[in-house]
Amino acid sequence: LAEAAAYACDALRTIARAGGGEPRDVRTTLLAAVLWGDGTDARLAVTQVGDGAILVRTHDGGVQQLGAGDAGDYSGEVTCFVPDDEAPARARAALVERAAHDVTHVLLLTDGIEDPFYPLARRGGTLFAQLLAGVESPAEHFQRQAVHGPVFGDAAACARLGAWLAFERRGENDDRTIVAAIRVGAR
């Protein structure tokens, strides 16, 4: 994963220069996960550079944040992004590996999703519940959230995910990107 971060840094530097810019012009968060093996031997490794979060849900409904986003001296400050020179070392230092036999869902979330559900240790279950069962009423402290059925495992997933991503919470207007990996048959 650290090598992948180094490759991403090199690629972004090349892209920036080809476009007449500087590497700082294409700074971005990197969230990465690798799952391998099966059954009781399944493993999950994750890393990140920048902000955002990586969450897992287990068979028993438990939610766990793996690792932590970069945070500076004040709210919203990030000290390192890809393609910064120190990004590969940060990716190596942020590496978290765990058994994955009990993992049903993995979410990679940008800060536009993480921040409104902060702290994820307490509110990550709400986030998963809304994606798995739908939204009946806005989450705590949200000004607006569309009512809809489940996102995961539904034929209307794309439209429902679009509706879910359009939530409104005062002061929260960062980019909203989510990548989900779901074990086949998981509920």
Side-chain angles (χ1 to χ4, degrees):
L1 288 171
E3 288 176 27
Y7 179 80
C9 288
D10 291 343
L12 285 174
R13 288 182 194 117
T14 299
I15 290 168
R17 290 187 183 110
E22 295 294 324
R24 71 176 176 270
D25 299 330
V26 294
R27 293 177 87 211
T28 189
T29 293
L30 171 80
L31 302 165
V34 177
L35 177 66
W36 72 95
D38 57 13
T40 58
D41 294 328
R43 303 291 300 169
L44 173 67
V46 302
T47 193
Q48 71 183 90
V49 177
D51 48 12
I54 302 172
L55 285 182
V56 296
R57 184 173 186 272
T58 56
H59 287 292
D60 64 4
V63 175
Q64 177 186 16
Q65 182 175 352
L66 300 182
D70 185 19
D73 294 331
Y74 59 89
S75 178
E77 179 186 28
V78 177
T79 60
C80 181
F81 286 107
V82 170
D84 297 345
D85 291 339
E86 59 275 8
R90 294 274 183 112
R92 187 172 291 105
L95 184 65
V96 174
E97 184 180 337
R98 76 179 298 275
H101 66 277
D102 62 337
V103 173
T104 58
H105 301 77
V106 179
L107 296 181
L108 309 178
L109 311 168
T110 59
D111 58 323
I113 297 174
E114 176 203 13
D115 292 349
F117 286 93
Y118 183 84
L120 288 172
R122 184 171 63 85
R123 301 186 72 208
T126 300
L127 191 156
F128 270 109
Q130 289 189 343
L131 295 171
L132 289 164
V135 174
E136 293 181 13
S137 61
E140 180 183 9
H141 304 297
F142 281 51
Q143 279 66 49
R144 189 182 71 76
Q145 213 172 7
V147 173
H148 59 77
V151 173
F152 294 157
D154 193 275
C158 288
R160 289 179 179 174
L161 180 59
W164 185 81
L165 288 168
F167 62 77
E168 291 180 18
R169 181 165 180 198
R170 183 162 302 152
E172 302 295 347
N173 55 9
D174 281 330
D175 62 300
R176 295 179 183 164
T177 304
I178 181 172
V179 174
I182 304 167
R183 189 178 301 272
V184 175
R187 296 275 173 229

